[in-house]
Amino acid sequence: MKAIVTVIGKDKVGIIAKVSGLLSSLDVNVEDISQTILQDYFAMMMLVDVSSAKSFTSVSEKLDELGKKVGVSIRIQHEDIFNAMHRI
Amino acid sequence: MLNKNEIFETIQMIDNQNLDVRTITMAISLFDCITSSREETAAKVYDKIYSRAKNLVKTGDDIAAEYGVPIVNKRVSVTPVSLIGAASGGYMEIAKAMDKVAEDIGIDFIGGYGALVHKSATPGELEFLETIPDALASTKKVCSSVNVGSTKSGINMDAVRILGEKIKRLAYLTRDRDSIGCTKFVAFCNAVEDNPFMAGAFNGAGEGDAVINVGVSGPGVVQYAVSKAKGESIDTIAEIIKKTAFKITRVGQLVAKEASRRLNAEFGIVDLSLAPTPKIGDSVAHILEEMGLSSVGAHGTTACLAILNDAVKKGGLMASSSVGGLSGAFSPVSEDIGMINAARKGSLSVEKLEAMTCVCSVGLDMIAIPGDTPASTISAIIADECAIGMVNNKTTAVRVIPVYGKGVGEEVSFGGLLGNAPVMPVRSESAETFIARGGRIPAPLHSNKN
């Protein structure tokens, strides 16, 4: 299953490293990544494959935990919600 | 590949504009629970609902977590209980079984304690109508609706008279909590069989065994989109609403498909209604104000609502493979912060709300009225709404709360999504003689289409 990870928050050193490190430890493969900085705000999105991960819920919880620790909002959502909304 | 703007647009809608799926409602047929014993019927009702819907809440929560979109309510609706209890007469026992199973599986509400008496009522149905106040006052999660009119059959004015009295009784029985029992009861004209919204959800006789019906929401998303179009013409506003409604509905369609697959139930419909909540940024009234009214209730409100309702339908229809339910903008007073504020400052009246119901989906909804309003006046309010629905070939409904012991201007608070509201004035002139006549309002000429 493919999902989209988004990270939004104040820019800090090492956000990408921390998120991708965590994803790799959870067997989540990053397939595409893009980021921008808008007025000090960091916005990153990753297309990931969670098929090998043990459970979607635990990936989601661990990302949420990391987000709280680093002080940014991190979430993971099934890619279909974006496809449904933006693709006919 | 999706682009960043699209992804962040979706996230903004969920985070800042209160996009959510208002309800996943599993409609369950109870026809196979009918027996001639009260206890046995109630036990079968409990078992059937439990076995079909035991995973509803967990599945809803799982889908919400995976897709990152809140699913606010999980509900069950059942075949009208007046039909299921007719053989045994055990209506109250069924109500208790419904409440117990709703509690045990953790759902928010269970609907279907209702009857379809739009042309006439059987002795069993008349007996059933008598039980409604006690059933709703003695249960927590049971909701009830009665269909008293249709375009095809006219309006059953005997039933309309009875319901006025039952609403008053229900208000009295729940007087310790601002007559909250009345928030769980709605009278309909042209009731739909696949509505996922409470208090009017039931599983119609023509429906399947277990069906998933989903109600979307998102007035905040529409309001935000309209707010970006300052100075644009009405055509542009209608286009913007259409596009936004499409996106909102696609989320509903996705959730409905996924929920029905996981729960091994039929996919029924997506209801396109924009359902508000008392939260800031989740108000249908504020969309109308964003369109250019200083307050909802101003002259022009009906026109703005007509534009909104039409555009939401046009956008939503293409987004879902099956649209149904009520599908239109809701205008409940106590559940919409914009409506509450307008009612408080006196710019919104019951008469204006009645006019608005001519162009939007539902009817007079969640309106607190004085506790000393006569039953015949409540019946007359129902008759007026039914006449609008019958003549215009649309669903209309009345959910009013004659708040026991309270008068115009006093505040009531129901809590949660039911919100709070000021008691609004109704006409003091009497319709008692009209209501006392009874009988049936004949169906309109245009009902003869065959």
Side-chain angles (χ1 to χ4, degrees):
Chain A
M1 161 186 150
K2 299 277 171 71
I4 305 277
V5 175
T6 48
V7 183
I8 305 171
K10 201 110 169 107
D11 192 20
K12 284 188 188 116
V13 175
I15 298 182
I16 297 186
K18 286 195 178 99
V19 176
S20 42
L22 175 64
L23 290 173
S24 128
S25 75
L26 295 167
D27 281 331
V28 176
N29 190 34
V30 179
E31 298 190 346
D32 195 359
I33 179 164
S34 105
Q35 66 145 101
T36 35
I37 290 167
L38 286 167
Q39 295 156 353
D40 278 358
Y41 267 81
F42 179 87
M44 174 173 77
M45 52 160 280
M46 287 169 159
L47 174 66
V48 299
D49 186 345
V50 286
S51 320
S52 320
K54 277 198 197 94
S55 100
F56 185 89
T57 323
S58 86
V59 174
S60 170
E61 281 167 8
K62 293 239 161 68
L63 284 170
D64 192 49
E65 253 170 55
L66 175 66
K68 285 199 179 108
K69 214 158 75 190
V70 184
V72 293
S73 144
I74 308 180
R75 70 175 84 201
I76 181 163
Q77 291 162 275
H78 195 302
E79 70 161 349
D80 279 356
I81 185 162
F82 304 102
N83 286 329
M85 205 182 253
H86 301 287
R87 295 287 177 271
I88 297 176
Chain B
M1 173 65 189
L2 290 153
N3 74 41
K4 255 186 306 200
N5 291 342
E6 291 168 340
I7 287 175
F8 290 115
E9 184 191 352
T10 303
I11 288 176
Q12 285 275 315
M13 283 182 182
I14 295 166
D15 277 5
N16 304 336
Q17 298 154 24
N18 299 310
L19 172 65
D20 57 46
V21 169
R22 180 52 43 84
T23 178
I24 299 183
T25 303
M26 182 185 264
I28 300 173
S29 168
L30 296 183
F31 281 119
D32 50 359
C33 301
I34 297 173
T35 76
S36 56
S37 145
R38 291 171 177 233
E39 290 70 28
E40 204 185 331
T41 305
K44 286 183 106 163
V45 165
Y46 181 96
D47 291 344
K48 175 83 186 267
I49 298 170
Y50 189 88
S51 70
R52 291 310 315 229
K54 60 179 183 295
N55 294 325
L56 178 61
V57 172
K58 185 182 178 313
T59 305
D61 291 344
D62 286 350
I63 294 174
E66 270 172 48
Y67 292 94
V69 61
I71 297 172
V72 181
N73 280 304
K74 286 72 141 183
R75 301 164 172 170
V76 165
S77 66
V78 297
T79 315
V81 168
S82 62
L83 303 174
I84 305 308
S88 63
Y91 307 114
M92 286 297 288
E93 287 82 353
I94 297 175
K96 297 224 157 69
M98 286 165 68
D99 204 42
K100 172 94 171 52
V101 74
E103 197 67 49
D104 291 351
I105 60 176
I107 54 170
D108 303 283
F109 284 112
I110 182 161
Y113 194 80
L116 306 171
V117 294
H118 39 277
K119 193 165 185 187
S120 186
T122 63
E125 281 163 339
L126 290 173
E127 200 185 305
F128 170 82
L129 296 181
E130 293 299 318
T131 68
I132 290 175
D134 284 324
L136 296 190
S138 62
T139 54
K140 267 197 209 144
K141 299 191 168 183
V142 175
C143 291
S144 170
S145 62
V146 175
N147 194 48
V148 292
S150 79
T151 301
K152 202 73 195 156
S153 64
I155 302 169
N156 179 349
M157 288 299 288
D158 293 315
V160 168
R161 180 183 51 75
I162 293 169
L163 290 190
E165 291 160 8
K166 297 307 145 204
I167 290 169
K168 285 281 284 187
R169 173 80 187 145
L170 181 52
Y172 176 77
L173 291 177
T174 52
R175 61 193 179 282
D176 56 328
R177 290 192 58 206
D178 281 341
S179 301
I180 196 169
C182 298
T183 65
K184 298 186 289 176
F185 177 79
V186 57
F188 270 122
C189 177
N190 290 324
V192 291
E193 301 201 327
D194 51 9
N195 165 23
F197 288 104
M198 296 298 171
F202 64 92
N203 190 32
E207 297 283 319
D209 192 53
V211 185
I212 294 295
N213 298 320
V214 163
V216 298
S217 179
V221 182
V222 176
Q223 187 201 341
Y224 177 79
V226 174
S227 75
K228 294 271 156 204
K230 296 235 173 340
E232 300 286 351
S233 77
I234 300 290
D235 324 41
T236 311
I237 299 290
E239 276 303 302
I240 289 171
I241 297 173
K242 229 161 80 177
K243 286 179 186 156
T244 312
F246 175 83
K247 291 178 184 174
I248 295 172
T249 310
R250 291 281 281 185
V251 175
Q253 166 82 10
L254 176 69
V255 168
K257 277 271 181 206
E258 196 54 28
S260 46
R261 188 182 66 77
R262 293 186 192 191
L263 290 161
N264 194 24
E266 203 180 316
F267 162 53
I269 55 96
V270 176
D271 187 317
L272 308 178
S273 303
L274 288 180
T277 68
K279 262 196 295 187
I280 304 268
D282 210 12
S283 156
V284 169
H286 285 163
I287 303 175
L288 306 178
E289 291 170 4
E290 201 66 65
M291 286 165 87
L293 305 171
S294 68
S295 167
V296 67
H299 292 294
T301 300
T302 310
C304 285
L305 188 57
I307 298 163
L308 173 68
N309 204 40
D310 178 67
V312 165
K313 280 184 194 151
K314 286 175 178 162
L317 277 168
M318 191 182 154
S320 171
S321 57
S322 176
V323 168
L326 299 165
S327 284
F330 287 174
S331 54
V333 175
S334 77
E335 297 174 347
D336 183 313
I337 187 70
M339 299 283 179
I340 296 168
N341 291 340
R344 270 188 196 139
K345 63 185 179 196
S347 59
L348 185 63
S349 65
V350 172
E351 291 82 356
K352 188 64 183 174
L353 282 160
E354 184 181 318
M356 289 159 71
T357 66
C358 300
V359 299
C360 81
S361 71
V362 193
L364 295 174
D365 196 18
M366 292 299 286
I367 301 172
I369 60 174
D372 61 2
T373 308
S376 59
T377 299
I378 296 172
S379 294
I381 292 171
I382 296 173
D384 281 345
E385 269 309 298
C386 287
I388 290 171
M390 175 183 77
V391 171
N392 293 304
N393 242 320
K394 70 190 290 297
T395 306
T396 46
V398 174
R399 181 163 54 151
V400 292
I401 304 105
V403 187
Y404 188 84
K406 287 202 171 166
V408 172
E410 286 183 78
E411 286 279 323
V412 291
S413 176
F414 303 120
L417 288 182
L418 298 171
N420 50 65
V423 175
M424 294 173 80
V426 295
R427 295 265 160 202
S428 56
E429 294 81 2
S430 172
E432 202 171 342
T433 310
F434 169 58
I435 296 301
R437 286 178 188 275
R440 179 148 48 97
I441 299 181
L445 180 64
H446 58 260
S447 69
N448 289 286
K449 284 181 177 166
N450 291 343

